Structure formats: C-alpha cells, structure tokens
Amino acid sequence: MNPRLLMMTVSTMLVAGLNFPIGKMALSFGSPFILLAIRFIGAGLLMLPFILKRPHPRSAVSWLKVATIGLFQSALVMTGIYISMKTITSGSSSILSSTNPIWFIVFSALVLRTRYHALQWVGVAIGFAGVAMSQGFQLDWQVGFWYALGAGMAWGLATLLTARWGKAYDSYVLAAYQMLFGGILLLIASPFFEQPFFVWDPSQLFREVFIIGWMILMSSIFQFITWYYVLRNADPAKANAFLFLIPMFGALSGWGLLGETLHWYTLAGMLCICLGIYLVNRPVKNALTAAKEGGFRTLESAK
C-alpha cells in the first residue's frame, strides 16, 4: 500500500474510532434516533447533487436491496451503538461493536455455507474470548453490553449483504441512498422507540454545531467516500486488516476526550479482538495454490 493510501486508510479508521466519544457527547442534547436521523439524512442530501449523474438502481427489487442495507448498516448498527453508550463507556461500545468482522464469518458460514480455513475459526474463538476479557469476564445482562454486541452482529450482516449485492451498484450511489433510507427509517421509528428530543443550548451552541457537523461531514460523508476509494485502489484484504484499529482508536479517544477509565482487562480484551479480527481477515492460501506459486517462482528463477 502506497503512503497516500496508507494515510487515507489510517485517517478513516481514526475517524471511525472518534465517532464513539463524539456520539456520546451528542447524546447530551439529542435522543439517539433523532441524532442519527439528522446525521444520515443530512449526509445523504449533501451527497445527492454529486451522484445524480451516476448509475442508479432501475428496479423496485434493486431499491429494496439498498433500503435493506440501509436498515442494517445505518439504522440498526448505529442505533445499537448510540443506545449502548447510555449505560456503558464509548470505549467499551467501540470494542464490542467492532466485532463485526467476526460475526461476518459466522453468518456467511451459516447462511451462505461458506467454508473457511481453520486459522480463521481460531480467530473467531480468540475474538469472542476478547469480548469476554474486555468486560472483565463479567458478562451480565447490562443492557448496553447487549446493544453494542447486537450492533456488531448487525454490522456483520450489513457487510454480508453489501458483499453479496453491492457489486451491482455504484458505490457512491449506494452509500448516499442507504444513509437516506436508514435516516428516514430512524425518523419514522423515533416516536415508537424513544422519547424524541433535540435541544439547542445557546451556551453550548458552538460545541453542538461542531458535533452535528462532525457527524454529517466526517463520520458519514468523509468516512464512506475515503473508505470506498481505498477499497477501489488497494488490496481489499490488506485494507480490511486495518479495521482492528477502530476499537483501539475508540477506546483511546474515549479515554482522551471523555476521561473514561482504561482497565487492564479492557486493553487485553481489545488486543485479543484485534488479533481475532486479523486472523479472520488474513488471506489463507491452500496447498495447491502455494504449490503452483512455488513452482512458478522456481521456473522464473530458472530463467
């Protein structure tokens, strides 16, 4: 990966990690569904002028698939994360929800009957051990824990759906409309699942405008566009390995911005989850491929 793509990849992961403490700060003046509806509808509308001339879905089924991805990616994932941060730290939420690559391999094996190498299943086991360790092995029924873990599961399903359907769409069109659909669904659901509120505090106006602006411009538009650019111009397998930086940046930014405590077992669990995610995403060559490549290199050296 060249230095430019490396910088873009790391900056995307940094923004993804910062989303957690920024989101927790936003909860002081808005309810989760309303905040996320503003974020995704605002980001989708800002992207519309730039995607109008790009290829759009043409059938009702295609639009339904985009809406389904929006339901999981924008609505369920982020709702789980924001609600979880009402009862657990932003660092814990980032660690638990970032288990999505582990859930991806589990769901793809169960739903699509995809076969994975033993090393990848070892990564799944290490990742789940890291989840337990990050919580001090006290997996009680604390609601925030389950919401954050549920967000990771929804994220894994969203990745599975995007991997299966996403190639049929322009990536920027998909990003914009899945956010719009997700934001509209959240706006409709808000009165049924929460006590909606959004309050501008004149004494905190700059802070609140900055947070909303960050959520729309950085957390949504910048993050999606930069990540899609990296995936188009770099090896996706190598790029995905950087996802393990999200829980690290999330935990560290929660400690730096919100003063959240970093327990030793939280850090140990985070490292286990990172290792598990790395093993899950690590490309494994089968013996036949390795033999062929070895033979090719031998022939090349003989020349």
Side-chain angles (χ1 to χ4, degrees), residues 259-278:
E260 296 176 349
T261 303
L262 278 179
H263 299 286
W264 70 266
Y265 54 78
T266 302
L267 295 173
M270 177 177 66
L271 291 175
C272 281
I273 292 173
C274 290
L275 176 60
I277 290 172
Y278 170 74

Side-chain angles (χ1 to χ4, degrees), residues 7-17 222-224 226-227 230 246:
M7 184 181 67
M8 293 177 71
T9 304
V10 174
S11 64
T12 304
M13 298 304 108
L14 176 60
V15 169
F222 172 82
Q223 188 175 324
F224 273 112
T226 306
W227 182 236
V230 170
I246 296 178

Side-chain angles (χ1 to χ4, degrees), residues 47-155:
M47 287 184 69
L48 275 183
F50 302 98
I51 65 168
L52 289 177
K53 294 183 179 180
R54 289 179 172 270
H56 279 53
R58 295 184 178 181
S59 68
V61 173
S62 295
W63 282 110
L64 181 60
K65 288 179 178 179
V66 174
T68 303
I69 293 173
L71 170 65
F72 283 95
Q73 184 68 64
S74 293
L76 294 181
V77 172
M78 297 311 302
T79 299
I81 289 172
Y82 272 55
I83 293 178
S84 75
M85 290 191 293
K86 286 189 168 186
T87 54
I88 63 175
T89 66
S90 65
S92 292
S93 181
S94 69
I95 291 170
L96 294 169
S97 61
S98 293
T99 56
N100 64 88
I102 297 170
W103 291 110
F104 173 81
I105 192 175
V106 172
F107 290 139
S108 58
L110 293 175
V111 178
L112 301 181
R113 304 296 181 185
T114 306
R115 299 182 66 182
Y116 290 98
H117 194 274
L119 187 63
Q120 292 171 302
W121 286 112
V122 170
V124 171
I126 293 174
F128 281 127
V131 170
M133 190 182 298
S134 71
Q135 304 304 301
F137 295 100
Q138 298 175 358
L139 300 184
D140 55 22
W141 291 92
Q142 184 175 219
V143 66
F145 170 87
W146 297 107
Y147 271 115
L149 198 62
M153 296 173 69
W155 201 341

Side-chain angles (χ1 to χ4, degrees), residues 22 82 84 93 108 171 184 186 198 211 266 287 289 300:
I22 294 291
Y82 272 55
S84 75
S93 181
S108 58
S171 57
I184 292 169
L186 287 164
F198 186 85
I211 289 172
T266 302
T289 302
E300 284 295 304

